[in-house]
Amino acid sequence: MRQPIIAGNWKMNGSRESIKALLDGIKAGMGDVKSAEVAVCVPSIYIADVAEQLKGTDIGFGGQNVSTEEKGAFTGEISTSMLLDFGCKYVLVGHSERRSLYGEDDAVVAAKFAVARKAGLIPVLCIGETLEERENGTTEAVVARQLDAVIDVDGIDAIADCIIAYEPVWAIGTGKTATPQQAQDVHAFIRSKLADKSKDVADKVRIQYGGSMNAGNAAELLSQPDIDGGLIGGASLVAEDFLTICKAAG
Ligand code: PGA
């Protein structure tokens, strides 16, 4: 059995004050979350605050990006050791906003994945097709290419303890969610593709769905056999909505 995992992706949102209120709200409702793992991926400047506020809870936290470099003259970057220094467990890698707005291609994403994993962070590898790619019928080819880029660098076994987030780009922040069947189909494809290389890895790896998952649609998405959780943007900024999704996961 794969333990479901719900992770919030706060993106570039929040203030010290709003984050405190958000985490207070989430912490207060965690008693009703039975089996799901819960985490938040937060703006790096707030990681120290978040670490302090989540001390003694079961809520994990992580960064939204990481450098491939260990240290040195890389202005504006944050290293794996810095994330670990503050207790981060996870780091998002290859989010579609990083790919489309900051030019991260498959090779950069694969390098970040490898560096994060080797350092002991759990990379959340984000993959997914654009609307144009879906309409062209290339969804499977795109996610296969994005996955292969990582497997070619790091090997199939590297995937097992990591998290894959399938996030159709057209569903991110648009309010347009993939239907449970559309999402399940791609999740099943991802798992079968991994199974071609290793059945163990395919059975073990958790695959989250992301893209306008919210309090209203989470239960149905999460009931699909190959959907093991969610990566939540907008709805993770409202404690009650985020908790509803966490509870729907188990
Ligand atoms: P959304 O974002 O839930 O706001 O669509 C998801 C994501 O980008 O991870």
Side-chain angles (χ1 to χ4, degrees), residues 154-173:
D154 223 15
I156 183 71
D157 291 335
I159 303 286
D161 295 319
C162 300
I163 295 164
I164 295 172
Y166 167 60
E167 299 202 296
V169 178
W170 48 273
I172 295 177

Side-chain angles (χ1 to χ4, degrees), residues 7-11 92 95-97 126 165 167-177 208-214 230-237 245:
N9 172 12
W10 291 354
K11 309 191 181 186
L92 303 184
H95 189 278
S96 76
E97 287 147 22
C126 305
E167 299 202 296
V169 178
W170 48 273
I172 295 177
T174 58
K176 244 201 254 170
T177 320
Q208 296 176 314
Y209 168 79
S212 299
M213 193 189 271
N214 59 39
L231 182 58
I232 320 297
S236 74
L237 300 172
I245 299 169

Side-chain angles (χ1 to χ4, degrees), residues 6 27 32 45 59 68 91 104 108 121 135 178 196-197 207 220 222 247:
I6 303 295
K27 286 192 282 186
D32 295 328
I45 197 161
I59 305 169
T68 53
V91 65
E104 292 190 11
V108 168
L121 289 159
E135 286 172 347
D196 290 344
K197 296 199 164 75
I207 310 176
E220 212 188 336
L222 293 165
K247 283 183 256 177

Side-chain angles (χ1 to χ4, degrees), residues 8 13 26 30 35 62-63 70 74 94 96-97 115 146 158 161 170 185 191 201 213-214 224 230:
N13 291 297
I26 295 172
M30 278 297 286
S35 58
E70 229 168 85
F74 303 102
S96 76
E97 287 147 22
V115 161
Q146 292 170 330
D161 295 319
W170 48 273
D185 287 348
R191 211 177 293 286
V201 171
M213 193 189 271
N214 59 39
Q224 301 300 311

